[in-house]
Amino acid sequence: MIQGCENPQIDPLLRRAPRVSYRFADVAGTLNEPGTLALFGFAADVPASADPRYLQVALESFDTPAPLELWQVDGPVSCGRDGALHWASGGGWLFAAIELDEREHGGPGVTAQRAYEQLHRFVAARDIRHVLRVWNYLGAINHGDGDAERYKHFCDGRAAGMGDFFAEGFPAATAIGHHGNPHRLQIYLLACDQSGTRVENPRQVSAWRYPRQYGRTPPSFARAMVLPARDALAISGTAAVVGHASAHHDDLDAQLDETLTNLEVLLASADMAVGFDTHSPLKAYVRRPSDARHVRNFLQRRLPGVPVLLLHGDICRSELLVEIDGWRYA
């Protein structure tokens, strides 16, 4: 457990968390703002940018127009490209992203392995090497039966590519299926030159200890990560899982209730006060487009004022209808 409060006394030597927000704004203008570490678009009609800090996310937003997601840090930012990888660095923080085409590598497992090998090599060569948060988006995540499911192949490849990438412990992470080019694997991460504190949920079996029924290789992530200054919690993809089992099959409201319970337990495990506020941006990944309005209304009722970005994405287990991740600031 870590100690925290609503108004923490932050050690000035510890890295202040990046400020994550949703913004209806111009891509070029936002990239020109001081401290912009990364910028994300969630709609196909958003103007493209060659800036390495910009990423067109493979997931479509249910909101029209869709906001941009902005990460800002204290200090000047440099950026560049390294083959298929693009990156930005500033204020002790690092954003890195990679996109690979499975057709060039031989399927989801080998492609995930190649992506993590490249990310590992890049981060290991830098001073900013504590990976705190990772996002993974792949096409047709639930296709295939048993061990042949694409998500299970992804988990195998991720583990093979990690090596000692996460020797100090797994980062917080999300893995979601997108509905774009089915061969596209997209991964991005946030790293820091200082380590964070991993948080687990006592209601859930830790992901890396899942039993064999979930695949040859268990998922490799922590349920959440407290950032170095203890001023923010990065929350992994969270769904209606109790123990290691999915709960409330085909019951959307019950899954949403269970998911919010798991989120509150994570806050308690991180010694944060209950609840989310207007400075706590969340993402809700919704499997069925027909459920989007209901999910939006549910979350507006239960989390009034909380910024929630609603995205069309498949959860890593086919029986789960919704997943939520995001940020909670102290």
Side-chain angles (χ1 to χ4, degrees):
M1 303 288 280
I2 59 100
Q3 298 300 314
C5 62
E6 282 301 277
N7 295 290
Q9 298 298 308
I10 297 174
D11 187 330
L13 298 179
L14 295 175
R15 295 296 185 190
R16 181 185 175 193
R19 296 171 295 285
V20 178
S21 62
Y22 299 143
R23 178 92 62 86
F24 292 98
D26 171 70
V27 169
T30 306
L31 287 168
N32 285 331
E33 292 185 17
T36 294
L37 182 72
L39 186 66
F40 305 89
F42 299 92
D45 59 354
V46 173
S49 173
D51 192 303
R53 297 171 295 166
Y54 179 73
L55 182 65
Q56 181 63 48
V57 177
L59 301 173
E60 282 283 325
S61 172
F62 287 113
D63 298 308
T64 304
L68 300 169
E69 179 180 347
L70 172 64
W71 296 359
Q72 290 180 301
V73 296
D74 298 320
V77 173
S78 60
C79 60
R81 296 185 182 275
D82 186 345
L85 188 149
H86 52 107
W87 60 273
S89 177
W93 295 93
L94 172 69
F95 157 71
I98 189 168
E99 295 184 343
L100 295 180
D101 189 322
E102 293 179 10
R103 292 169 295 189
E104 299 176 5
H105 300 281
V110 177
T111 307
Q113 179 178 346
R114 296 288 182 267
Y116 271 86
E117 287 172 346
Q118 291 183 51
L119 287 165
H120 185 187
R121 284 195 298 269
F122 178 79
V123 174
R126 305 182 68 88
D127 294 332
I128 304 173
R129 61 185 61 176
H130 299 282
V131 178
L132 305 182
R133 184 67 168 88
V134 182
W135 291 260
N136 308 274
Y137 300 135
L138 62 152
I141 194 170
N142 301 130
H143 286 201
D145 297 323
D147 285 346
E149 185 185 43
R150 284 172 52 80
Y151 176 62
K152 294 183 176 67
H153 282 297
F154 166 81
C155 288
D156 293 341
R158 172 171 56 181
M162 284 190 305
D164 63 353
F165 198 10
F166 305 134
E168 63 183 22
F170 294 122
T174 295
I176 290 290
H178 66 71
H179 291 266
N181 181 341
H183 307 289
R184 180 186 185 190
L185 173 65
Q186 186 176 65
I187 301 171
Y188 61 96
L189 61 79
L190 176 69
C192 187
D193 61 0
Q194 299 173 348
S195 62
T197 302
R198 287 151 190 83
V199 177
E200 291 299 310
N201 182 342
R203 302 181 78 234
Q204 297 176 317
V205 174
S206 293
W208 64 88
R209 293 176 175 159
Y210 278 175
R212 176 63 178 81
Q213 70 195 76
Y214 298 104
R216 293 175 296 265
T217 306
S220 305
F221 68 93
R223 299 292 181 185
M225 179 74 71
V226 180
L227 299 195
R230 299 183 293 276
D231 55 346
L233 183 69
I235 301 170
S236 295
T238 302
V241 174
V242 181
H244 60 73
S246 302
H248 316 298
H249 290 216
D250 296 321
D251 188 333
L252 179 59
D253 279 351
Q255 287 193 21
L256 284 163
D257 272 323
E258 199 74 68
T259 300
L260 293 186
T261 296
N262 281 329
L263 290 173
E264 289 295 346
V265 171
L266 279 175
L267 295 183
S269 297
D271 287 335
M272 283 188 159
V274 300
F276 293 85
D277 59 23
T278 57
H279 302 292
S280 302
L282 302 177
K283 292 189 184 76
Y285 305 95
V286 182
R287 179 181 295 277
R288 302 183 303 211
S290 59
D291 289 336
R293 177 175 293 182
H294 185 86
V295 172
R296 179 185 290 108
N297 292 338
F298 183 101
L299 294 177
Q300 286 177 344
R301 185 170 64 253
R302 293 286 298 274
L303 302 174
V306 175
V308 178
L309 182 59
L310 226 59
L311 299 173
H312 185 202
D314 293 338
I315 319 309
C316 64
R317 298 185 186 182
S318 58
E319 66 273 12
L320 293 174
L321 304 175
V322 65
E323 180 170 305
I324 296 174
D325 68 16
W327 304 86
R328 169 61 154 79
Y329 288 86

